[in-house]
Amino acid sequence: DPSFHLAPIIGRVLLGLITKAVTAPFAWIGSMFGGGQQLSYVDFAAGSATLREADQQKIARLAKALSAHPQLRLDIPLHTVGVADDRALAQQALVQAVAQASAPASGPGQGPGTRGPERAAGATRSRRGRGAVTGTPPSRRLVALEMIYRRQFHADPDYPAGLDPGQPSAAAPSAQPPAQDPRVDWLERQLLPKFVPSGAQRTALGRERADAVEAAVLANKELTPERVFLTDRLSGGGPAGVSRM
């Protein structure tokens, strides 16, 4: 065909490649180095700043692409925190509080295996007339949770009627061992709102995640730190239970 010209077709192809590189850079990089659009994000488990192995491999491919294209730079958001993180951070704080409250104490008339709060918890149950637990030493976790409850609410736990150790908790998952004291579940549900993370804790988690990604990128020694920027941006979303950067 005398009217056919190849130059306009080549021009459209080149324009399409440039447009794709500008509007979807990670998809463009992924088409060359593997990973596709998935190279644009990593997922963190709720409350964690640890990179999964799959995401470490993804970052390694991204770093290789950055090394091959010196004109590219990478932005890493400093604020990747979601709703699932709030609950996970609260649970972590409660676990830490329980561990501290459960630590053996020693003092005058109190050996390492004997705790004043444990005796106090037993006295509380006696006053409530809970004959079902008479003579049964309370679990250390239950004792610690009751102690924390008193500190937070300045009162003894007001357990719902019929909440005895031998009865299953209606809110507990079916996979829970039958020996689990249902009062533990009740206490944890009451206490978790008291351990909602502060803004500083959320910021610290976001910073830890950004640092983890930056370190994984710069593990490629061909890259210089000047090509990686920690930016004051918000990031999030992704599947339930994870925070996506």
Side-chain angles (χ1 to χ4, degrees), residues 37-90:
Q37 184 63 21
Q38 291 186 350
L39 285 187
S40 65
Y41 65 84
V42 292
D43 288 333
F44 290 95
S48 173
T50 301
L51 283 166
R52 303 174 304 173
E53 183 178 352
D55 285 318
Q56 290 176 347
Q57 296 173 358
K58 186 188 299 186
I59 292 175
R61 290 197 298 272
L62 179 59
K64 183 178 179 181
L66 291 172
S67 175
H69 295 80
Q71 74 276 21
L72 296 179
R73 294 189 171 117
L74 181 69
D75 287 349
I76 301 175
L78 278 168
H79 304 286
T80 304
V81 184
V83 175
D85 289 314
D86 286 347
R87 179 168 181 82
L89 289 172

Side-chain angles (χ1 to χ4, degrees), residues 76-242:
I76 301 175
L78 278 168
H79 304 286
T80 304
V81 184
V83 175
D85 289 314
D86 286 347
R87 179 168 181 82
L89 289 172
Q91 290 173 330
Q92 292 171 11
L94 180 56
V95 167
Q96 184 177 5
V98 168
Q100 292 174 348
S102 303
S106 58
Q110 187 173 334
T114 306
R115 293 182 55 82
E118 188 164 314
R119 294 196 298 271
T124 299
R125 284 186 292 277
S126 297
R127 288 197 302 271
R128 292 182 180 275
R130 299 189 180 278
V133 296
T134 302
T136 302
S139 71
R140 188 171 292 275
R141 182 171 183 79
L142 175 62
V143 170
L145 287 168
E146 288 186 337
M147 183 194 312
I148 297 168
Y149 186 98
R150 293 186 186 92
R151 290 174 184 169
Q152 294 292 335
F153 294 96
H154 307 290
D156 288 336
D158 187 15
Y159 294 114
L163 193 63
D164 292 325
Q167 297 178 351
S169 174
S174 58
Q176 180 179 337
Q180 175 72 46
D181 191 326
R183 291 171 296 179
V184 169
D185 290 331
W186 185 86
L187 286 166
E188 289 179 346
R189 290 196 301 273
Q190 307 308 305
L191 287 170
L192 272 177
K194 295 290 187 178
F195 289 87
V196 172
S198 64
Q201 290 172 310
R202 290 168 59 90
T203 298
L205 177 60
R207 178 71 197 222
E208 289 175 11
R209 287 171 168 171
D211 288 343
V213 172
E214 181 185 36
V217 171
L218 295 179
N220 186 324
K221 300 306 180 183
E222 296 181 4
L223 296 177
T224 59
E226 291 77 15
R227 295 180 59 192
V228 180
F229 295 85
L230 300 182
T231 59
D232 194 31
R233 292 191 295 109
L234 295 175
S235 181
V242 306

